[in-house]
Amino acid sequence: MTNFDAGLLADRTPLPSGLDSRLLRHFTFLIEVDKLKTVLRASPLAAADRRENDAEHSWHLALMVLVLAEHADEPIDVGHTIKLVVVHDLVEIYAGDTPIYDTEAGHDQQDREEAAADRLFGLLPDDSGRELRALWDEFEARSTPEARFAKAVDRLQPLLLNWMAKGGTWRTPGVTADDVRSRKAVIGEASATLWEAARHLIDEGERRGWASSRDR
Amino acid sequence: MTNFDAGLLADRTPLPSGLDSRLLRHFTFLIEVDKLKTVLRASPLAAADRRENDAEHSWHLALMVLVLAEHADEPIDVGHTIKLVVVHDLVEIYAGDTPIYDTEAGHDQQDREEAAADRLFGLLPDDSGRELRALWDEFEARSTPEARFAKAVDRLQPLLLNWMAKGGTWRTPGVTADDVRSRKAVIGEASATLWEAARHLIDEGERRGWASSRDR
Ligand SMILES: [Ca+2]
């Protein structure tokens, strides 16, 4: 299910006439993306008793890329990797967040997100839209060292939040520590060091009963 | 007033022993910065009826840099500029947000923020901490085209949110449209196009009575 019906945010307080037409499209897009701040994820914050939203998550990934880049197995362009994480969840403005352990919603996720990308990036002038779309496609395809590292950090960040919450979404009914390991294994495609640390957190979480050792 | 007393977030659920000592410091820092998601700004969101937090704001700036870079008067390294906006508000974790029209709180802002930077970046291994501190110093000094553009976008983003709110913080008692113009003029140091657009929004806001034409 995609969420196209609410209309554009910019239509609620139309921008004044007299703006350059190219800049008008840039501003319309940059106002529309404010909606990412309202897309809630499953992960609990460490600093407050509420769930994280996609904008906060995307910022956190950007900072993690900056700090953790030295642990990448292949050399990466840090600035480019940060661009990937800044745009990686934008399609969820219309397609919604698909929790990693929700196999049901996962079925039509790709179709929903492609439609959302067409709509959202279509707000921009063609060349600007193509640039952002290419970043999102690169992230999804994991075809470059930068995209693989961006994806690794996207999987590592909620793991830190779940650790802080003594389980968090690891406690989703039916989810086992082995499920967590298999969803997080993609970290190992980008960084042996980070994957070793992630496994250590999951192993210790399982030992403490924060993640289940078998199907419940 | 700085806010050092709450203790480190990572101490609430200590990371397990056995992590590499350098990675442990990276993770401790990356957990601590979750607090940025709880630092509220004066600006209202366009997409929901609440105020924006610093993490959402920082993400929004990163995307604005990516989309608006073509309007910079001098060539900028987009990836580097995004790094600047990702770290630019981190010190507010301890120093708090200082609203742009709050001249009282502005007095000791620099001292508070320097102390906050020492504390926060000191959580990192020395070289990592120096790298982030240098990005924050560069942003504050506006000594490079990238820092000037980052600052311009930092001033432009709440202007778009205020426009959407038909005034927002422009309606702060005692604040006039001329005050808004003088606080936003720094946009013109980075982009004639964006400064012209900003002035157009402020002029039109004043015309509509969303910003006051004289001292109230
Ligand atoms: Ca600030």
Side-chain angles (χ1 to χ4, degrees):
Chain A
M1 198 190 65
T2 43
N3 182 21
F4 291 155
D5 299 335
L8 292 180
L9 278 181
D11 287 343
R12 297 192 196 167
T13 312
L15 289 158
S17 58
L19 284 178
D20 168 82
S21 67
R22 187 169 168 89
L23 196 56
L24 181 69
R25 295 186 73 177
H26 285 154
F27 281 4
T28 298
F29 171 83
L30 289 169
I31 289 167
E32 184 70 0
V33 300
D34 206 60
K35 292 179 178 172
L36 199 68
K37 302 167 189 172
T38 70
V39 179
L40 290 183
R41 296 169 47 81
S43 308
L45 292 190
D49 187 23
R50 64 170 174 84
R51 285 157 63 196
E52 185 180 47
N53 68 55
D54 268 347
E56 297 169 326
H57 166 69
S58 298
W59 166 78
H60 208 162
L61 297 194
L63 190 60
M64 287 182 75
V65 168
L66 190 51
V67 169
L68 298 176
E70 66 180 69
H71 303 294
D73 290 339
E74 297 173 89
I76 57 169
D77 176 329
V78 175
H80 185 74
T81 312
I82 294 176
K83 291 182 193 177
L84 296 174
V85 299
V86 166
V87 305
H88 87 290
D89 266 344
L90 278 176
V91 296
E92 299 189 1
I93 284 174
Y94 300 128
D97 177 55
T98 304
I100 193 170
Y101 303 113
D102 185 341
T103 45
E104 192 68 35
H107 280 139
D108 66 338
Q109 182 180 3
Q110 195 174 346
D111 290 348
R112 284 182 293 114
E113 294 193 345
E114 292 279 342
D118 290 345
R119 165 85 159 224
L120 185 68
F121 299 132
L123 296 174
L124 287 165
D126 283 359
D127 54 345
S128 304
R130 272 197 305 274
E131 184 188 349
L132 266 66
R133 175 67 181 244
L135 290 168
W136 181 62
D137 287 341
E138 180 184 341
F139 176 84
E140 288 289 311
R142 303 206 298 275
S143 50
T144 59
E146 286 78 12
R148 285 188 286 275
F149 195 76
K151 176 62 92 173
V153 167
D154 186 36
R155 292 289 161 88
L156 180 62
Q157 188 258 0
L159 196 147
L160 290 179
L161 293 183
N162 282 334
W163 174 268
M164 291 304 297
K166 300 182 169 63
T169 63
W170 295 347
R171 297 179 186 272
T172 306
V175 170
T176 67
D178 277 341
D179 294 329
V180 178
R181 280 182 200 96
S182 84
R183 295 309 183 107
K184 301 296 180 182
V186 74
I187 297 172
E189 292 178 17
S191 169
T193 304
L194 295 180
W195 176 223
E196 186 188 336
R199 267 183 297 130
H200 187 54
L201 290 173
I202 300 165
D203 292 352
E204 185 63 21
E206 181 177 12
R207 208 185 59 77
R208 297 185 189 187
W210 301 349
S212 172
S213 292
R214 55 200 154 74
D215 277 308
R216 281 182 283 211
Chain B
M1 196 192 66
T2 43
N3 182 20
F4 291 155
D5 300 334
L8 292 179
L9 277 181
D11 287 343
R12 298 192 195 167
T13 311
L15 289 158
S17 58
L19 285 178
D20 168 80
S21 67
R22 187 169 167 90
L23 196 57
L24 181 69
R25 295 186 74 176
H26 285 153
F27 281 3
T28 298
F29 171 83
L30 289 169
I31 289 166
E32 185 70 0
V33 300
D34 205 61
K35 291 177 178 173
L36 199 68
K37 302 167 189 172
T38 69
V39 179
L40 289 183
R41 294 168 49 80
S43 308
L45 292 189
D49 187 22
R50 65 170 173 84
R51 286 156 63 197
E52 185 180 47
N53 70 55
D54 268 347
E56 297 169 325
H57 166 69
S58 298
W59 166 78
H60 209 161
L61 297 193
L63 191 60
M64 287 181 75
V65 168
L66 190 51
V67 169
L68 298 176
E70 67 180 67
H71 304 292
D73 291 338
E74 297 173 90
I76 56 169
D77 176 328
V78 176
H80 185 73
T81 311
I82 294 176
K83 290 182 194 177
L84 296 175
V85 300
V86 166
V87 305
H88 87 289
D89 265 345
L90 277 176
V91 296
E92 299 189 2
I93 285 174
Y94 299 129
D97 177 54
T98 304
I100 193 170
Y101 303 114
D102 185 341
T103 45
E104 192 68 35
H107 280 138
D108 65 337
Q109 182 180 3
Q110 195 175 344
D111 290 347
R112 285 183 290 112
E113 292 192 345
E114 292 280 341
D118 290 345
R119 165 86 158 223
L120 185 68
F121 299 132
L123 295 173
L124 286 165
D126 284 358
D127 53 345
S128 304
R130 272 197 304 274
E131 185 188 349
L132 266 66
R133 175 68 182 243
L135 290 167
W136 181 63
D137 288 341
E138 181 184 341
F139 176 85
E140 288 290 310
R142 304 206 299 274
S143 50
T144 59
E146 285 78 12
R148 285 188 286 275
F149 195 77
K151 177 61 91 174
V153 167
D154 186 34
R155 292 288 160 89
L156 179 63
Q157 188 259 358
L159 197 147
L160 290 178
L161 294 183
N162 283 334
W163 173 268
M164 290 304 297
K166 300 181 170 61
T169 63
W170 296 347
R171 297 179 186 273
T172 306
V175 171
T176 67
D178 278 340
D179 294 329
V180 178
R181 280 181 200 96
S182 84
R183 294 310 182 107
K184 301 296 181 183
V186 73
I187 296 171
E189 293 178 16
S191 167
T193 304
L194 295 180
W195 177 222
E196 187 189 337
R199 268 184 297 132
H200 188 53
L201 291 173
I202 300 165
D203 291 351
E204 183 64 21
E206 182 178 11
R207 209 185 60 76
R208 297 185 188 187
W210 300 350
S212 172
S213 292
R214 53 200 156 74
D215 277 309
R216 282 182 283 211

